[in-house]
Amino acid sequence: MRLPFSLAATPTATGLREQADTLAEALPPLVAEAERIANTVAQGVHGRRRTGMGESFWQFRRFREGDTAASVDWRHSARSRHLFVREAEVEAAESVWIWRDGSASMDYASEFAPLTKKDRATVLALALTSLLIQGGESVAALGGGMPPTNGRAAHRRMAHLLLDTPTTSATATGLESLPPPEHLPRYAQVVLISDFLSPAEDIVARIKGYAAEGIRGHLIQVLDPAEEDLPFTGRTEFVGVEEDLRLMIGRAERLRKAYHARLALHRDHIMEAAQRINFTFATHRTDRAPHTALLALYGALSGEIDARKPRSGA
């Protein structure tokens, strides 16, 4: 038996929608499952559609494909060789940015799981996107190179970026093991879905970078049951999926206690760091239904966004 041996040209908006629709037709299982799960969870939550926080100026940013000519600030652009867009607070505040790890370790599925970690993480990301847009939130893929949006366009865009891996960038699709160190607007939230088996120090440094800019975050660690339990016995070969490593063990069961201790230490390091910066951390096994994890994540996001809504006096 084998187990991962590691703890370790953006398209236009129109083209993106067309590619995402085609992709959804070609790969219906994950999209359909995500919609089904989102609809089930939605029955237990209430929509939170609301007005924005106003049109106060937030920042200038470089013009990107998909922006309209009307959004260009021509006076500011005249001072530079580049075009700039003037972003308002209502466009950027309280947006949710989702990252799904697409690195090689996420392709693992043991005989004890019905699907790979990447497929489950994709379902969670798409289902969360569906729930958020039903609640009127603006959503974007972290590292996707596109601004947050809402409505069905947001769901199609997310599906395109997560499922059409061969033709999109490594950063956008999460081919790197760590989320991109991207500058995000204040009041934004990030949702990071990964096995988080990269070195704990690297993960902690990355999430601290988000927190330093006032970003709140939510981490979901997705693991295969074999990675949680190490159920193997007898002669077992462990093969690296992100490194060229092989390890043959005569009696794998002898490693179980030390392995559990190492995994717990790794997880506690990340969890404690997340708690210190007010990030949430949860775990999910691929042999269990995703509904509970999705509901808890949506609840955490809902509470955080509602806490930042302006309140009228008594």
Side-chain angles (χ1 to χ4, degrees):
M1 296 182 181
R2 298 186 177 187
L3 181 72
F5 185 61
S6 174
L7 289 179
T10 306
T12 63
T14 302
L16 195 62
R17 287 195 296 270
E18 292 175 351
Q19 292 179 50
D21 288 340
T22 301
L23 183 64
E25 294 175 0
L27 297 171
L30 292 182
V31 175
E33 182 182 0
E35 285 292 295
R36 177 181 58 79
I37 293 169
N39 290 335
T40 299
V41 172
Q43 294 176 11
V45 297
H46 298 286
R48 299 176 293 106
R49 191 174 299 275
R50 63 191 184 283
T51 58
M53 296 179 62
E55 296 289 345
S56 58
F57 170 71
W58 174 54
Q59 70 169 11
F60 290 109
R61 64 166 173 80
R62 291 276 294 274
F63 182 86
R64 297 184 294 225
E65 286 192 74
D67 291 331
T68 64
S71 66
V72 175
D73 188 293
W74 297 105
R75 178 176 296 180
H76 187 79
S77 300
R79 305 171 189 168
S80 170
R81 293 178 297 173
H82 305 288
L83 295 178
F84 287 89
V85 171
R86 184 183 181 92
E87 287 190 320
E89 195 76 45
V90 69
E91 297 171 338
E94 299 184 352
S95 51
V96 179
W97 302 71
I98 300 174
W99 177 78
R100 182 225 60 192
D101 184 354
S103 60
S105 69
M106 294 292 287
D107 288 321
Y108 178 67
S110 70
E111 62 185 287
F112 308 103
L115 75 176
T116 66
K117 293 183 290 183
K118 183 184 292 181
D119 283 351
R120 176 53 55 82
T122 298
V123 167
L124 286 171
L126 291 176
L128 178 62
T129 299
S130 182
L131 278 175
L132 289 169
I133 62 179
Q134 287 180 43
E137 310 298 343
S138 295
V139 185
L142 183 63
M146 298 291 283
T149 187
N150 51 30
R152 298 306 302 172
H155 193 271
R156 290 194 297 266
R157 183 180 295 175
M158 187 69 69
H160 171 76
L161 288 169
L162 295 183
L163 298 176
D164 194 16
T165 303
T167 59
T168 48
S169 72
T171 301
T173 55
L175 293 178
E176 300 173 344
S177 297
L178 295 172
E182 186 169 328
H183 172 67
L184 300 176
R186 58 186 177 184
Y187 303 122
Q189 296 192 72
V190 293
V191 175
L192 311 177
I193 308 174
S194 169
D195 57 14
F196 292 113
L197 294 181
S198 296
E201 295 78 9
D202 294 343
I203 298 169
V204 170
R206 189 58 51 89
I207 63 175
K208 282 184 175 179
Y210 294 129
E213 296 192 4
I215 307 303
R216 283 294 308 273
H218 309 273
L219 282 63
I220 299 289
Q221 185 182 44
V222 178
L223 291 179
D224 186 276
E227 293 172 318
E228 287 274 14
D229 302 332
L230 197 70
F232 309 109
T233 59
R235 187 177 177 82
T236 305
E237 182 184 28
F238 296 86
V239 180
V241 292
E242 295 186 4
E243 308 91 358
D244 186 18
L245 297 173
R246 289 178 178 270
L247 178 64
M248 183 66 71
I249 300 296
R251 298 184 64 179
E253 62 272 20
R254 290 183 174 179
L255 294 178
R256 192 169 298 134
K257 184 176 180 180
Y259 174 83
H260 287 163
R262 175 67 180 274
L263 180 60
L265 184 65
H266 177 83
R267 179 180 287 161
D268 288 347
H269 187 164
I270 300 170
M271 186 184 306
E272 290 168 5
Q275 291 173 346
R276 285 195 295 269
I277 58 175
N278 293 319
F279 275 41
T280 67
F281 182 92
T283 61
H284 174 68
R285 292 168 54 123
T286 56
D287 60 340
R288 296 177 181 170
H291 302 72
T292 302
L294 180 62
L295 184 59
L297 177 57
Y298 184 72
L301 281 162
S302 299
E304 182 61 26
I305 292 176
D306 288 341
R308 287 177 170 174
K309 290 172 60 177
R311 301 180 184 275
S312 58

